[in-house]
Amino acid sequence: MSFSTAARLLPSPFRIILASFLQEPGLPFVEVLPEERIAAVFAEEHVSFAHEEGGIYTPAVTLWAFLSQVLFKDEQRSCVAAVSRVVVLLVSLGRQPPSGDTGVYCRARAKLSEVVLRRLTSELADGCERNLPRRWLWHGRRVKLVDGSSASMPDTPANQAQYPQQTAQQPGLGFPIARYVVLLSLATGLLCDLAIGPFAGKETGETALLRELLSRLNPGDILLADRYYCSYFMICLLLAAKVDFVVRLHQRRKADFRRGQSLGAGDHIVQWQRPAKPEWMDQATYDQMPQSISIREVEVAVPQPGFRPEKLVIVTTLLDARQYTRDDVAELYHARWLAELDIRAIKVTLGMDVLRCKTPEMVRREIWSCLLVYNLVRQTILNTAKSRALSPRQISFTAAMQQIAAGWATVVLMDDATLIVLVEHHQQALAQHQVGDRPDRVEPRAIKRRPKPHKLLTKSRREARAELLAGKH
């Protein structure tokens, strides 16, 4: 195996990021975010440090170590483990390694701007979306998925102040919690953007967070969502942005297919009238809202073996029934479930369910580092999918992440010819790791393995510890 020398790292420092994610010139989506562009984003946001002689934790090395904390699991996610990987890297490159003290690394990590991490994540998604083959699109159009979730974080005063725990929990017994809404690509699974806020409070719901992301939608896009987002004003805002909407009818609305313009059985166009002004909207904006809008409602039967067919109603602004048939609309809404799988990859596979940082600023950096890793793994999948004439949705995200983690530090040391051989081998192997075709899969929401029989903590840990020392237990 051929390895590079220390000099290779210095002229193009951000190569270590792309090489570790199996990105090599010549692959279909590599030029979307080349190392020159990464360096330019850092320069534009004035993020520059450790350039003095002997400086170790440069932006490139710090980012490389930070992303490795997302890629690895459990104890390998610690700052100690990240510093150890930097030591191995620098010794392999013939350079003086840092000490094992994590303080210098943690201070360097705090200098990585949240704006930089967010820009890199979004630019990667935008660039890939512009270069998609038409066969990956839905009727030649780009579809975006929207969904919400939450993440907890260490119970520190700073985190509690910005992302308070749920009000039903006693102080010292809960954890700060943040709510977020993600905008994802249906075709590729790439994350386009994210909005984050406290879990509870005024204007912290998922629809409020989605309104922060509307500018990230392009004219001609289709937004696909669950019933929570189905509202008159959300539809109006999307129509004003020339974005179509496909969503399940909200449970508080009823569909009457005896009314409106019939397009076929269980398919019609009706007029929705403007409701009263919501609290979050100012009067000037409300006055600009149309008095009524034309909405298509499509009734779909969802048969399940052993049960009577359940019927649901899909609401859409795709009014042309000849171009978008009833079956087309039903099939598209059925794909909404992919948002749940993408969020599972982010929360479970990449571990964003429980965050580790102790301040809100570092929590947000941790979130965006996780999402940057997510998109870089998706980019690796895109390269394989296009090279092997597959759909990105056919390839396992977990398998791609495991391949990247397996050679995380080693690939940085390879010369171009050796790296090309490895990437080719990984693509062949990854093309075999296809997601199983499991339509309408049903699993109980229950676990088989029993948890350990520990009592629940019903008072602060400090109080419980004091009682133990006092011999009360």
Side-chain angles (χ1 to χ4, degrees), residues 204-281:
T204 60
E206 291 183 21
T207 52
L209 293 176
L210 174 57
R211 290 197 295 272
E212 296 180 20
L213 300 176
L214 293 183
S215 62
R216 297 287 287 120
L217 295 167
N218 299 312
D221 283 351
I222 299 173
L223 184 65
L224 183 57
D226 65 21
R227 64 168 65 180
Y228 184 84
Y229 299 93
C230 180
S231 74
Y232 183 94
F233 297 111
M234 182 59 68
I235 294 173
C236 289
L237 292 172
L238 291 170
L239 288 174
K242 298 181 180 179
V243 174
D244 280 308
F245 201 22
V246 176
V247 62
R248 187 176 175 183
L249 184 69
H250 195 278
Q251 60 268 26
R252 292 186 180 180
R253 280 189 177 269
K254 303 299 179 184
D256 185 354
F257 287 93
R258 297 170 298 178
R259 305 175 61 185
Q261 175 190 346
S262 177
L263 302 175
D267 190 357
H268 69 167
I269 296 175
V270 292
Q271 295 295 312
W272 282 13
Q273 303 301 316
R274 185 177 69 180
K277 183 179 76 67
E279 290 185 7
W280 58 267
M281 185 179 290

Side-chain angles (χ1 to χ4, degrees), residues 86-99:
V86 173
V87 170
V88 172
L89 173 67
L90 295 182
V91 169
S92 300
L93 291 169
R95 294 185 58 186
Q96 184 67 31
S99 70

Side-chain angles (χ1 to χ4, degrees), residues 290-427:
Q291 296 284 345
S292 65
I293 52 176
S294 296
I295 292 295
R296 183 180 176 190
E297 296 175 340
V298 177
E299 187 176 57
V300 177
V302 184
Q304 292 287 346
F307 295 88
R308 290 183 298 177
E310 177 189 359
K311 292 184 178 180
L312 58 87
V313 177
I314 301 170
V315 170
T316 181
T317 55
L318 300 171
L319 305 183
D320 190 340
R322 287 178 293 182
Q323 185 175 5
Y324 308 105
T325 67
R326 177 184 174 183
D327 290 342
D328 289 338
V329 174
E331 180 184 15
L332 178 58
Y333 183 76
H334 189 261
R336 193 209 65 81
W337 179 250
L338 291 172
E340 308 285 348
L341 302 182
D342 294 341
I343 289 178
R344 185 180 70 181
I346 293 170
K347 292 186 64 172
V348 179
T349 308
L350 293 180
M352 208 176 88
D353 187 23
V354 179
L355 303 169
R356 302 167 65 95
C357 292
K358 297 181 179 181
T359 65
E361 296 78 16
M362 285 306 301
V363 161
R364 290 191 291 272
R365 289 184 179 92
E366 184 180 1
I367 288 173
W368 282 107
S369 69
C370 180
L371 299 178
L372 180 55
V373 168
Y374 174 80
N375 273 2
L376 286 166
V377 174
R378 287 290 183 192
Q379 184 187 27
T380 302
I381 290 174
L382 293 189
N383 286 324
T384 300
K386 191 169 183 181
S387 300
R388 297 300 187 272
L390 296 170
S391 162
R393 291 295 188 176
Q394 292 178 265
I395 298 176
S396 168
F397 180 89
T398 301
M401 189 186 79
Q402 290 169 342
Q403 286 189 349
I404 292 167
W408 179 254
T410 307
V411 295
V412 178
L413 309 176
M414 296 178 181
D415 60 25
D416 289 339
T418 306
L419 182 55
I420 289 171
V421 172
L422 179 64
V423 170
E424 175 67 21
H425 176 272
H426 275 331
Q427 285 193 349

